[in-house]
Structure formats: structure tokens, C-alpha cells
Amino acid sequence: MVNIIEKSFGLNLKLLNIMGLYSHGKSSITLRIRAYTLYFVFLVLASVLIIVKTLMARSSNNVETNAMLIYVSDSTSFCFKLLPFLQNSDRMKRCINFFGQKKFAPKTDYERRILDECVWVCRRNSIVFFYGLLLTIIGWTVPMLFVKGRKLPLMLWLPYDPSSTAVNYYFTFVYIVAVIATVYDSYSGTIVDPLIGGLAYHATAQLKILKYNLEHLDKNLEDNLIKSSEHIIEFQCVREHLESCIDHHKQILWFINEYEECFSWSIFCQFAGSMFAVCFCYISLTLVPLNSVEALTYVGVICNISFQILFYCYYGTLLDEENNDLSKAIYMGPWYKYDVEIRKNLLIIMERSKRPLLITAGKVIDVTVRTFVSVLKTSYSLIAVFNK
């Protein structure tokens, strides 16, 4: 069987592997050196040079300053967001590949349909993120080539004057767009979003399978009753199926706990950076004509960043809703046919499902649709503060 994780996140894992943030095999010293080198040269150093250039600028152009602040907000959040991939690469790899184990392979046609749909959704999200980000980068950088004067997409402090000659300008332009802004910064910081959100959706798919199995604990009873009318055979069959469901439930809960430990900080950094970036985008919209290309670019950036936040919140909400439906699935099954021991075990699962199965950002913010609305409200409040 093909690993469903590889099928779901093949594009994401290939890009992360190029940047040294993920390894298909065992992590090596060479891979770690490459990962840290790319991280500091193309992400951390670029952010520092932008801040230095902004502080050293003699003329205060509010539009350019806000544009740089948008980039700094995103790139700074990416610095902290990607740090766990560098520090805990082996643990990250185990968490990413958890549902790719053979024990989670589909056993029935229903389970296969659920997992196939999950794989399709994850692949679709990754492709949409990839090409959506590419279009955003093109819309952000290409207009720079047609404005008067030799302007760069990013205001970096450089030891030479990039506008002195055409060669210097185009070389610097291509280097910033192709290497710093595109290859590492944007794609490394953004391509992990469908990966992290997709893993939560894989957990949701496993909960759907668990719900179905709990609701149909007696699916093999009729065959057993034909062989014998003794209830002991009937109950033994249900007990074996129930034990498998309990173990499946424990595995899902363990994954969510491990998922929290691995990705909670990354999600928090994305939320914080996105909130400030959206805020600066709104301020920039008040400084440029609404019918200009710059305004259209800022609207695109706002939609892109807002979609990143909504993406996490949507799949976090789906996970919690599926967990809440476990009790309903048990109640809809023929629990009244079972003996007292089986009913007690079912009650334990029902009580456990009452505890919310929420993904958190930084272990302080619930990743739900309500949180998405709160982030937008907070961004609006920050706009009012910055305008003053």
C-alpha cells in the first residue's frame, strides 16, 4: 500500500526537503548544516537587513515603510514558525508520518472512501497554496518592473548601490525575488500551512472511521449467530471489535497530544504575524488610490493571509465537531443488545468525548472559526491604535 501521507503531502515534503527542513531518511549532520545555513542566510539575515534599511532610510515614505513592515511581520513569524522543524526534526517527522503506518490502512470500502477523500482534499489544498502563493508573488513583484525608477520588491541594506547600473539592478531584483522572497521565505513559511492543517484533517478522518466502527460494533454478529445461538459468541465478537476501537481512539488522542507539542508554537507564530501583517495592509490601503495596482496587490495579500488563518481554524473546528459526534454514533448503535461490561466501556468513551478535542496556538488560543473572527477584530483594533 502507498503511504497516504506521501500521497497527501508529496509536494509539501519535497519542498521542505529541498530546504533541509524534512528528510525522507534518517537526519544527517550534512542535512542539519544545510538547513541552518539556508535558514539564517535567506530568512533571518534578510529580515535583519530589511529592518536596518528601514531604520537608516532618510526619507519617510509611509507606503514603502508599511510594505516593509508587512514583509517583516510575515518573515519574523516564519523565523519562529520554522524553528521547531530545525530543532525537533526527528519528532516532527514521526508526527507527520504517524497515520502512514500500516495499522491505519483501510480495512473496508467505507474506510477506503474516507481516506481517499482525505488524501484528495490535502493534495488539493497543497496545490492551491502553491499556485496561489506564486500568483501573489508575481502580482507583488512584476509591477515593480514597470514603475519609474529602479525600485526593488524589498528594501534591503546592501553594501553596494543596486540602482547604479542595469546589471546590478536586475541581478539584485532576480536574487531577491527568486531566492529570498520566493524559494525560501514565502514557500518555506507558507507550504507548511496545508501540511499542518492537513494532518489535523487526517485525524478528523480517523475519527470518522472510529465513529462508523462504534456505531456498527455488531456488524459481524449475524454471521456468528448463524453458527451458534449462544450469546457468549455474540458478546465476544463485540468485545474484540470494541477493544480495537478503544485502541484506535487512544492512538488518535496520542497523535493530537503529539501534534500539539510539535505544531502549537508554529500555529501561534502564524497567527501573531498574520494579525500584524493584515493590520499594516489595511493601513497601506488608506495611503494609496483604491483604483491603483498597489491597492489590488494589498487586497490580494490580505485575502491570502486571512485564508491562512481561516485554514487552520476550519480544520481545527472540524476535528472538534467529529469528536463531539462520537457519543451520538455510540447512541445510534445497538448498544441495548450488549452486556453490562460492553456498555460500561462505551460509556467511558462517551464521557471522554465530552472533553473538547481542540487544537491550540501556543497552548493558549483555541484554533476554531471563532478565533478567526477574534483575530480579525483584533487586527481592526490595532489599526485604530496605529492610526493614532
Side-chain angles (χ1 to χ4, degrees):
M1 175 187 171
V2 181
N3 190 323
I4 61 172
I5 298 301
E6 293 290 341
K7 290 175 62 178
S8 302
F9 309 111
L11 175 63
N12 312 68
L13 298 181
K14 285 179 182 177
L15 289 174
L16 291 177
N17 181 258
I18 292 172
M19 300 161 192
L21 300 174
Y22 177 85
S23 173
H24 293 283
K26 188 176 181 180
S27 298
S28 61
I29 298 176
T30 305
L31 181 67
R32 288 181 176 273
I33 292 174
R34 185 182 72 181
Y36 276 100
T37 301
L38 293 174
Y39 176 79
F40 282 105
V41 172
F42 296 129
L43 188 58
V44 177
L45 182 60
S47 300
V48 172
L49 292 179
I50 291 173
I51 294 173
V52 171
K53 179 66 175 180
T54 304
L55 294 176
M56 293 178 62
R58 296 180 180 178
S59 59
S60 59
N61 187 323
N62 291 331
V63 176
E64 292 184 356
T65 301
N66 279 333
M68 291 305 101
L69 289 175
I70 293 169
Y71 187 85
V72 169
S73 299
D74 256 353
S75 60
T76 303
S77 69
F78 291 166
C79 290
F80 293 101
K81 180 180 177 180
L82 297 176
L83 200 56
F85 286 86
L86 295 170
Q87 296 177 333
N88 304 311
S89 57
D90 292 333
R91 188 176 188 181
M92 288 283 189
K93 182 180 177 181
R94 286 195 299 271
C95 184
I96 291 172
N97 291 281
F98 183 75
F99 288 127
Q101 301 178 66
K102 291 183 179 179
K103 59 184 176 182
F104 295 107
K107 302 177 181 63
T108 63
D109 291 337
Y110 176 80
E111 294 181 9
R112 188 172 292 103
R113 287 197 300 270
I114 292 294
L115 293 181
D116 286 344
E117 180 188 4
C118 179
V119 169
W120 181 84
V121 169
C122 293
R123 287 171 61 89
R124 178 203 63 191
N125 292 342
S126 298
I127 292 173
V128 169
F129 263 79
F130 182 87
Y131 287 105
L133 182 60
L134 182 61
L135 291 175
T136 301
I137 293 172
I138 292 174
W140 170 50
T141 57
V142 170
M144 296 289 180
L145 296 172
F146 300 98
V147 298
K148 293 182 179 180
R150 293 171 176 172
K151 291 186 178 182
L152 296 173
L154 298 175
M155 292 192 304
L156 290 172
W157 179 86
L158 298 169
Y160 63 91
D161 184 7
S163 60
S164 58
T165 63
V167 175
N168 285 346
Y169 171 72
Y170 287 110
F171 172 80
T172 307
F173 189 94
V174 172
Y175 178 76
I176 290 175
V177 174
V179 179
I180 296 178
T182 303
V183 174
Y184 195 90
D185 197 336
S186 297
Y187 275 110
S188 64
T190 307
I191 205 65
V192 299
D193 293 333
L195 173 63
I196 298 175
L199 289 173
Y201 191 59
H202 268 279
T204 303
Q206 293 297 326
L207 283 174
K208 289 181 180 179
I209 293 173
L210 178 62
K211 278 171 49 181
Y212 177 81
N213 290 332
L214 287 172
E215 188 175 347
H216 300 85
L217 279 175
D218 63 334
K219 61 182 181 180
N220 295 323
L221 287 187
E222 294 184 1
D223 295 337
N224 289 325
L225 290 176
I226 293 175
K227 297 176 183 178
S228 175
S229 60
E230 296 181 4
H231 289 290
I232 186 171
I233 296 180
E234 174 183 342
F235 294 146
Q236 181 62 27
C237 175
V238 175
R239 287 193 189 97
E240 291 175 358
H241 195 190
L242 180 58
E243 288 175 3
S244 176
C245 291
I246 292 174
D247 181 65
H248 191 191
H249 193 207
K250 288 180 180 179
Q251 294 288 335
I252 296 173
L253 295 179
W254 183 91
F255 170 80
I256 296 300
N257 182 66
E258 190 70 5
Y259 180 94
E260 282 273 300
E261 295 295 328
C262 290
F263 300 113
S264 180
W265 176 246
S266 297
I267 298 174
F268 178 81
C269 294
Q270 178 62 53
F271 273 45
S274 296
M275 184 174 62
F276 283 100
V278 169
C279 177
F280 290 125
C281 281
Y282 280 126
I283 294 176
S284 297
L285 279 175
T286 63
L287 302 175
V288 298
L290 294 180
N291 58 351
S292 63
V293 177
E294 290 83 0
L296 182 62
T297 302
Y298 287 127
V299 171
V301 173
I302 291 172
C303 294
N304 190 21
I305 295 175
S306 300
F307 181 73
Q308 283 182 271
I309 305 175
L310 179 61
F311 185 81
Y312 285 111
C313 295
Y314 175 73
Y315 288 110
T317 302
L318 283 183
L319 180 66
D320 187 44
E321 289 178 350
E322 287 297 330
N323 179 67
N324 294 336
D325 287 344
L326 280 179
S327 296
K328 181 180 178 181
I330 294 173
Y331 178 76
M332 296 301 293
W335 52 268
Y336 47 85
K337 296 181 181 179
Y338 309 145
D339 62 7
V340 176
E341 181 183 353
I342 295 175
R343 293 182 188 181
K344 286 181 179 179
N345 288 327
L346 291 175
L347 281 173
I348 292 174
I349 297 177
M350 294 176 72
E351 288 299 317
R352 175 59 187 85
S353 65
K354 290 180 180 179
R355 180 181 175 184
L357 195 62
L358 293 172
I359 298 171
T360 60
K363 298 186 178 181
V364 293
I365 304 173
D366 294 337
V367 182
T368 61
V369 176
R370 290 183 180 179
T371 303
F372 174 71
V373 177
S374 299
V375 169
L376 295 182
K377 289 181 178 179
T378 305
S379 299
Y380 179 79
S381 300
L382 286 174
I383 293 172
V385 173
F386 286 138
N387 277 334
K388 292 183 179 180

